[in-house]
Amino acid sequence: MSRIEEIVRTVFGAGSVIPRRVRLPGGASRETWALDVAAADGTRHELVLRLDSPGAALEAGATLAEEAVLMRTAFQAGVPVPRILSSGASHILMTRVPGETIPRKILRDDAYAAARPRLAAQCGQALAAVHRMPLSCLPAEAEPETDPLRRWQDVLDRLGQPHPVFELALRRLASTRPRPGRRSVVHGDFRNGNLIIGPEGIRAVLDWELAHAGDPLEDLGWLCVKAWRFGSPLPVGGFGDYDDLIHAYERAGGDPVDRDALRWWETFGVLKWGVICVMQTMRHLRGGARSVELAAIGRRVCENEWDLLRMLRRRAENPLP
């Protein structure tokens, strides 16, 4: 009996069968499968199974068992997430939520035209729920709060690549750092591309492995980073305005948003993504993982440098409306 069959039959009974299984792309250390299951009682279920690949080095972030704790806690807090049916040290079996995750389609296809004006507010509501989650649900190693600027300065230093714009941004951010908000659960990668969208709007929030303790505005700023607008002029995920996000977030119980602090975290997010682009490119150039995709992401470095220069200039001249 395969590992997949063993997990499914533990949940649905010895007589259950899997008439369709498709491995989804992405992930070297984890497998993701779309499964159609005919349970022993005659019911049918559409599922997703995530597995740690035997012998593969785990990626940075939460383990699957830790992700399961985060997702169950998120569900209790009111965050839309897939329902977990079974989890263990190396697997999560969950319901398959229909919908779209590809940003280009979400931002352009007619099927999502009615949803787009609602998405920024729905993101605000979802993030307010994320930030209500108790810190106790975080993996133990994610709980200590570290200085995010120091962390990404260290990463840039270890890369050994000269990037004066990133150094300038680090210094400017350090000198204009806002008063920290309360310490909360931070999703860590809440953005267009990690949301399942239907014609009515957000159906599920995905990718919880980077959750950690920090300032709630980190999540709001990351959502507004230009890279996640995918060519749209709208600042929030490419589908909405700051006001839509902020007002919905505050109405849903999120802390009052200091707009200048939000702009600081947005600028930090652009810097962070720029450094990540350097990291990914170096993985290819230094032979760690030969990949056309990783090589191509190198062109994103200069885009982020340009965006940072524009943001640093505008920051003092044009406060966030």
Side-chain angles (χ1 to χ4, degrees):
M1 183 186 304
S2 72
R3 191 177 177 201
I4 294 175
E5 291 170 332
E6 181 181 356
I7 293 169
V8 166
R9 291 179 182 178
T10 299
V11 176
F12 294 103
S16 58
V17 296
I18 308 172
R20 178 177 174 272
R21 66 181 82 184
V22 177
R23 184 170 179 179
L24 303 177
S29 64
R30 285 176 177 158
E31 303 173 10
T32 302
W33 293 84
L35 308 176
D36 292 344
V37 172
D41 62 4
T43 57
R44 302 186 72 86
H45 305 268
E46 295 182 342
L47 309 171
V48 169
L49 175 65
R50 298 184 67 203
L51 295 170
D52 281 337
S53 299
L58 290 178
E59 299 169 355
T63 66
L64 287 177
E66 291 166 340
E67 278 192 64
V69 172
L70 286 162
M71 291 175 66
R72 287 190 172 106
T73 308
F75 177 81
Q76 293 168 358
V79 185
V81 290
R83 185 166 63 92
I84 295 178
L85 304 178
S86 173
S87 64
S90 59
H91 84 274
I92 300 178
L93 182 67
M94 67 190 92
T95 55
R96 189 160 81 238
V97 178
E100 186 56 75
T101 60
I102 299 174
R104 178 183 58 79
K105 294 183 177 182
I106 293 167
L107 295 177
R108 293 171 175 80
D109 285 7
D110 290 343
Y112 308 102
R116 285 192 284 272
R118 308 171 186 163
L119 291 176
Q122 291 178 348
C123 285
Q125 293 163 356
L127 283 171
V130 170
H131 301 154
R132 287 195 296 269
M133 293 166 59
L135 289 168
S136 58
C137 73
L138 289 169
E141 63 273 16
E143 288 189 31
E145 190 172 8
T146 57
D147 179 355
L149 283 180
R150 180 71 261 169
R151 177 188 175 192
W152 289 99
Q153 176 73 71
D154 290 345
V155 170
L156 186 61
D157 289 347
R158 288 196 299 272
L159 289 169
Q161 295 290 310
H163 288 281
V165 173
F166 294 160
E167 297 287 355
L168 172 65
L170 283 161
R171 288 199 295 271
R172 187 74 62 82
L173 288 169
S175 68
T176 59
R177 190 192 300 262
R179 186 185 303 275
R182 69 178 176 87
R183 191 165 176 259
S184 77
V185 171
V186 172
H187 178 278
D189 201 12
F190 191 104
R191 60 178 175 84
N192 193 2
N194 284 340
L195 306 170
I196 298 179
I197 306 298
E200 75 289 355
I202 296 176
R203 290 180 173 174
V205 178
L206 305 176
D207 291 347
W208 289 83
E209 62 266 24
L210 298 181
H212 59 278
D215 190 315
L217 287 185
E218 181 180 345
D219 274 335
L220 277 73
W222 185 246
L223 174 62
C224 299
V225 164
K226 189 176 179 182
W228 316 135
R229 303 173 193 174
F230 298 94
S232 168
L234 296 174
V236 180
F239 42 63
D241 292 313
Y242 293 110
D243 281 348
D244 299 326
L245 172 69
I246 293 168
H247 293 161
Y249 179 76
E250 293 177 342
R251 285 195 302 268
D255 292 346
V257 174
D258 179 323
R259 291 171 179 248
D260 194 52
L262 174 58
R263 178 57 62 85
W264 188 94
W265 280 105
E266 181 184 338
T267 307
F268 169 81
V270 176
L271 167 68
K272 174 182 170 180
W273 175 235
V275 176
I276 290 172
C277 289
V278 179
M279 291 171 60
Q280 299 288 58
T281 307
M282 288 300 101
R283 287 177 62 200
H284 168 78
L285 292 176
R286 293 172 178 171
R290 304 294 289 181
S291 163
V292 172
E293 180 182 4
L294 293 178
I297 207 170
R299 69 189 179 92
R300 299 291 181 193
V301 176
C302 62
E303 292 176 2
N304 285 284
E305 290 173 332
W306 175 251
D307 291 340
L308 277 171
L309 288 173
R310 289 170 60 89
M311 294 183 77
L312 292 173
R313 179 178 178 179
R314 289 199 309 262
R315 182 170 159 76
E317 298 174 356
N318 300 294
L320 191 66

